[in-house]
Amino acid sequence: MSKAGHVTGTELKAAIARAGLTIYDSLEARPELIYGLNVLESHLRDELMGLRVPGEIRTRSKLAKGLVAGALGYPAPPAFRRTQPRFPGQNLDVHVQKANNLQIWNEELDPERRHVVLRVDEDAAIIAVRVVDGETLARLDTTGTLTQKYQASRLGKHAGTILVSSEDTQRFRELLAPVRALNRETLATLDPLRPPERTKVLAIDSLFVALQGLRGHRIARGELQERSRGAALHREVCDVLGLPRYADHGQFPDVPCQALEVKAQSSPTIDLGLVTPDSTDEARGLSGLRHCDVRYCVAELAPRNLEFEITEIVVSTGKDFFREFRAFEGLRQNRKLQMHLPPDFFAQSEPLPD
């Protein structure tokens, strides 16, 4: 492990190889084998930079996917199935770019899907690697042709700390039987990245009480970028809930073991991503829960010189979210998506805090 105690890309690669997994095998029961965005990007840079993917577009694409599979510890299949995404287990797609025109075919952007974007030179050598999720691609689009993310703001004069939902959704209660408290012994067994387990999740009112411990905490000057602020808040949430460690695999929701999504609000507008909280679509890897069953924690961040202070906490089920917030809905399209990557795209990697 790294000196911070995090699993490295090399260790994940070895673990996947030992497990004999394929790129099509689900990792719902093995979330510890999912590469986080940061680890994925840095590991693929180490493994792939300088390698060549010659040939026409189809050949180049197949070679690139084979290299990515090998770098992640998987055997490259003789032929890649036409699955969406191409790497279902890690929820990622691979793109090879000679130019800055990125194309995504026949589907809307998935906020949780990861995209490995490889830049090659005229000799077909990989000269840059970037890994982003659907959220990041939506932010990069300036043409309005991509699926737009959803945003919200607080209703009217609503303000202050509040528990919007008095209880969890009926499906949540039936599937998970949430409890009023979790003892230290139970907390010690919880992996933040694993799906929620029956009788091992806090009921939403108890969750609200626990999250009050966030108020007054400050996020340091180094966390001024939006993504880093969210990661810093995520770390604080794991701490106040008493979880044994902070962990982030860059997928929805932020704290799977408690079916909890965390939003840092430092301006009137809250970015919700590409799925609305009240969606009745089933959420990936959450034991049968839908997006509307997930709990949301919105933490208001107030500027304090060169820091942000957590001043207010709003907790709600996805189902009740719009009782407290007003939605701004973007246009949704289902066709070939094209976008022109900005000139500094491959220099924009924004590492999360350790």
Side-chain angles (χ1 to χ4, degrees):
M1 290 191 179
S2 67
K3 63 183 180 181
H6 295 171
V7 177
T8 66
T10 300
E11 290 167 334
L12 280 172
K13 176 182 178 180
I16 288 170
R18 285 195 302 270
L21 297 169
T22 75
I23 63 172
Y24 306 107
D25 292 326
S26 170
L27 293 179
E28 183 171 340
R30 301 286 303 275
E32 71 278 5
L33 296 182
I34 297 175
Y35 286 80
L37 277 177
N38 268 9
V39 174
L40 182 59
E41 184 172 85
S42 62
H43 179 67
L44 289 179
R45 282 179 178 161
D46 291 342
E47 293 271 332
L48 302 182
M49 291 285 282
L51 300 182
R52 296 183 68 247
V53 284
E56 299 301 321
I57 293 177
R58 286 180 179 274
T59 300
R60 189 164 65 232
S61 176
K62 181 180 180 181
L63 287 172
K65 290 195 287 283
L67 289 177
V68 170
L72 299 183
Y74 297 102
F80 286 85
R81 304 175 194 169
R82 293 186 176 275
T83 57
Q84 293 183 348
R86 288 294 190 261
F87 286 61
Q90 293 288 340
N91 194 24
L92 65 87
D93 276 323
V94 178
H95 311 272
V96 182
Q97 298 294 126
K98 274 194 169 182
N100 283 342
N101 185 39
L102 178 64
Q103 297 182 349
I104 300 174
W105 289 82
N106 300 326
E107 56 184 317
E108 296 179 347
L109 279 176
D110 180 339
E112 301 172 30
R113 186 171 303 175
R114 287 88 67 77
H115 297 263
V116 176
V117 187
L118 307 177
R119 186 62 182 265
V120 296
D121 63 15
E122 292 302 317
D123 294 323
I126 298 171
I127 58 173
V129 178
R130 184 85 196 274
V131 180
V132 295
D133 56 19
E135 296 281 359
T136 300
L137 287 182
R139 288 198 299 269
L140 290 175
D141 176 49
T142 59
T143 66
T145 59
L146 287 180
T147 300
Q148 301 297 303
K149 62 184 177 181
Y150 294 95
Q151 296 179 316
S153 63
R154 209 146 181 199
L155 282 169
K157 296 182 180 180
H158 288 216
T161 291
I162 184 173
L163 174 62
V164 179
S165 307
S166 59
E167 62 181 359
D168 288 294
T169 65
Q170 181 177 343
R171 178 179 289 197
F172 193 101
R173 298 194 307 272
E174 290 174 351
L175 289 176
L176 296 176
V179 298
R180 297 296 174 192
L182 293 171
N183 59 40
R184 290 184 179 181
E185 291 75 15
T186 300
L187 284 168
T189 68
L190 295 182
D191 185 327
L193 299 184
R194 295 191 69 85
E197 298 180 55
R198 188 173 177 85
T199 72
K200 293 186 179 181
V201 291
L202 287 172
I204 195 168
D205 53 349
S206 297
L207 183 67
F208 175 70
V209 171
L211 290 171
Q212 298 313 297
L214 292 170
R215 297 174 67 187
H217 287 212
R218 294 199 175 195
I219 294 176
R221 176 180 179 179
E223 316 302 345
L224 297 181
Q225 293 177 315
E226 181 181 352
R227 181 175 165 189
S228 294
R229 284 200 300 272
L233 175 61
H234 182 178
R235 182 187 296 276
E236 296 281 355
V237 166
C238 289
D239 184 55
V240 299
L241 292 181
L243 297 177
R245 67 186 180 103
Y246 159 75
D248 179 14
H249 55 26
Q251 299 188 74
F252 176 90
D254 292 307
V255 188
C257 76
Q258 293 300 306
L260 177 65
E261 175 73 353
V262 179
K263 297 293 183 183
Q265 182 182 8
S266 55
S267 69
T269 300
I270 305 168
D271 288 329
L272 298 177
L274 301 177
V275 178
T276 60
D278 60 351
S279 168
T280 56
D281 291 340
E282 187 166 315
R284 177 186 171 96
L286 282 186
S287 306
L289 297 180
R290 304 160 299 177
H291 284 87
C292 62
D293 300 311
V294 170
R295 290 84 68 80
Y296 281 74
C297 168
V298 179
E300 181 168 321
L301 306 182
R304 299 287 188 264
N305 296 319
L306 295 178
E307 295 179 312
F308 284 97
E309 180 181 348
I310 302 172
T311 57
E312 298 178 2
I313 300 293
V314 177
V315 174
S316 173
T317 63
K319 178 182 178 181
D320 294 336
F321 191 86
F322 293 115
R323 286 171 44 192
E324 185 67 20
F325 297 92
R326 178 170 63 95
F328 303 101
E329 182 176 324
L331 299 174
R332 299 185 69 78
Q333 303 172 351
N334 189 18
R335 57 181 177 81
K336 180 177 72 173
L337 306 176
Q338 298 190 67
M339 66 177 298
H340 187 75
L341 298 176
D344 61 347
F345 175 76
F346 289 99
Q348 287 184 349
S349 179
E350 182 187 315
L352 301 175
D354 290 332

